[in-house]
Amino acid sequence: MTKHDRKEPLAPDMILERAAELILEIGATPELMVDRMLTYDAAQAVSLGGSKATGEAFRGMAGRIEEGLFAHLEPHARPRAPGGKLH
C-alpha cells in the first residue's frame, strides 16, 4: 500500500486542513489563505533545500497541476462548500 492508497487522512493533512479552516474562520478570503500557506511552504522549502531546488520543485508541481492532478477539484467540477471551504 502506498501513501496514495490510504483512505484515512494523515495527521499532518488533518493539521493543515484545520489551519486552513481557522484562517477562513477569522475572515480571510480563500485566496489569502492559499497565498499565506504557499508563502510559508516556499520559505520553509528554501530554508531546507535552497532557492534553486525549491523553484524546480514548484515548477514540477505546477506541471503536474496543469496536467490534471487536481482536475476533479476544478470549480466547474465540484462546487465550493458553504463558508468558503475549497473542497
Side-chain angles (χ1 to χ4, degrees):
M1 177 193 289
T2 70
K3 66 181 178 181
H4 299 293
D5 294 330
R6 295 178 186 263
K7 297 285 187 224
E8 73 281 354
L10 299 174
D13 296 332
M14 293 168 51
I15 292 166
L16 287 169
E17 183 173 7
R18 185 62 185 131
E21 290 170 352
L22 287 168
I23 293 168
L24 294 173
E25 285 174 14
I26 63 168
T29 64
E31 294 80 9
L32 178 61
M33 180 270 299
V34 169
D35 175 80
R36 299 318 307 148
M37 292 184 95
L38 281 172
T39 299
Y40 179 84
D41 293 341
Q44 294 303 309
V46 168
S47 73
L48 293 171
S51 296
K52 185 172 178 15
T54 299
E56 290 171 2
F58 270 62
R59 283 187 292 280
M61 179 57 76
R64 289 188 295 280
I65 291 168
E66 289 173 344
E67 292 168 1
L69 179 64
F70 300 116
H72 64 286
L73 298 173
E74 291 279 348
H76 64 273
R78 189 170 182 184
R80 185 176 283 179
K85 285 188 76 172
L86 296 177
H87 64 285

